[in-house]
Amino acid sequence: MAALEQTAHAFDFSFVTLLMMPTRPEDLLARLLIQTTLPSQFVQEFDQSRFLSLSPVMPLLISSMLPRTWTLESAEMLHRESFPKDLAQLLNRFGMKTSAVMPLHSLEGERFLLQFDGERPPVGQSELNELGMIALHAFDVFEKLRRAERFTLPGPLSARELEVVRWTAQGKTSVEIGRILSLSDHTVNAHMTNAIKKMDCVNRTQLVAKAIRLGLIN
């Protein structure tokens, strides 16, 4: 990520994000993030308004395997009727007026997106080609680290812990998970705490992202 952050700045972008490509309808960006330099306040406001499901850009990314770039102005003009005004205001406020996205694929067929955002002029084709090559090399390193990490986990999760993590990834609260699994919310929280420690994470969001990244849950 340090190298990708340097790349972002070299191309006059402010932020870089690696995220899972959603395989089903998803309305929370936080559940897809693997690594990002986006401000936590941006992610929180983005998800509070469920902008992921409202963005007209995401369906285009899902349906294509080619790198794409756009400006906020061009996206608003192209999707004049469907582009949320509140989303445009949020992107403007955080200086995210130009974006470039590289679709990536793991050896197991999983799909990812590497996205650069910032306040800079439109990205030319030569720059997009350069970013695409850098993204491929960076993702190759990421894949090697991810495969190595699968064999060096601090401790495998139990079947029950995996169930709790899987339902958490679906946006369920401890109370809701308890009802589904016929457990008390105290027991659910205990399983979650154990999983967080085993996976060397600091919170549920990081745990879910890491479990997805390692292929422990879908």
Side-chain angles (χ1 to χ4, degrees), residues 58-213:
M58 183 57 73
L60 299 178
L61 299 178
I62 294 175
S63 63
S64 174
M65 297 177 63
L66 297 175
R68 285 181 175 268
T69 182
W70 66 88
T71 64
L72 178 56
E73 182 180 5
S74 65
E76 285 184 285
M77 291 181 62
L78 183 61
H79 306 283
R80 190 169 302 166
E81 302 299 325
S82 58
F83 202 98
K85 292 183 179 179
D86 290 346
L87 173 56
Q89 292 173 356
L90 179 65
L91 294 172
N92 264 310
R93 182 150 52 88
F94 281 89
M96 299 170 64
K97 297 183 179 181
T98 301
S99 301
V101 176
M102 317 296 144
L104 300 163
H105 298 78
S106 72
L107 294 175
E108 291 80 14
E110 300 160 304
R111 299 180 67 190
F112 298 82
L113 295 173
L114 183 63
Q115 179 163 332
F116 297 89
D117 297 286
E119 192 166 1
R120 53 148 290 166
V123 178
Q125 186 61 51
S126 62
E127 287 183 301
L128 192 62
N129 292 342
E130 288 182 62
L131 284 169
M133 289 301 299
I134 293 171
L136 288 174
H137 284 291
F139 189 72
D140 184 58
V141 174
F142 165 76
E143 273 286 270
K144 290 176 181 176
L145 292 173
R146 188 168 71 130
R147 287 195 295 271
E149 194 173 12
R150 285 176 176 170
F151 297 101
T152 58
L153 289 176
L157 299 184
S158 68
R160 186 63 87 184
E161 288 163 352
L162 278 173
E163 282 185 299
V164 169
V165 174
R166 188 173 292 110
W167 283 112
T168 300
Q170 299 300 316
K172 302 297 184 182
T173 65
S174 294
V175 173
E176 291 171 328
I177 296 172
R179 290 172 183 160
I180 294 169
L181 301 179
S182 299
L183 301 172
S184 69
D185 57 329
H186 175 77
T187 301
V188 170
N189 287 330
H191 285 309
M192 182 61 66
T193 299
N194 289 338
I196 288 173
K197 289 179 180 178
K198 286 182 178 181
M199 298 288 286
D200 193 27
C201 297
V202 297
N203 54 38
R204 295 185 179 204
T205 301
Q206 186 184 9
L207 172 64
V208 168
K210 190 170 186 178
I212 293 173
R213 187 173 76 242

Side-chain angles (χ1 to χ4, degrees), residues 27-30 33 38-54 84-96:
D27 59 2
L28 292 179
L29 175 63
L33 294 178
L38 288 171
S40 58
Q41 183 64 32
F42 171 83
V43 177
Q44 181 180 345
E45 292 186 37
F46 189 92
D47 281 352
Q48 281 177 345
S49 298
R50 298 298 195 270
F51 281 140
L52 188 65
S53 60
L54 299 175
K85 292 183 179 179
D86 290 346
L87 173 56
Q89 292 173 356
L90 179 65
L91 294 172
N92 264 310
R93 182 150 52 88
F94 281 89
M96 299 170 64

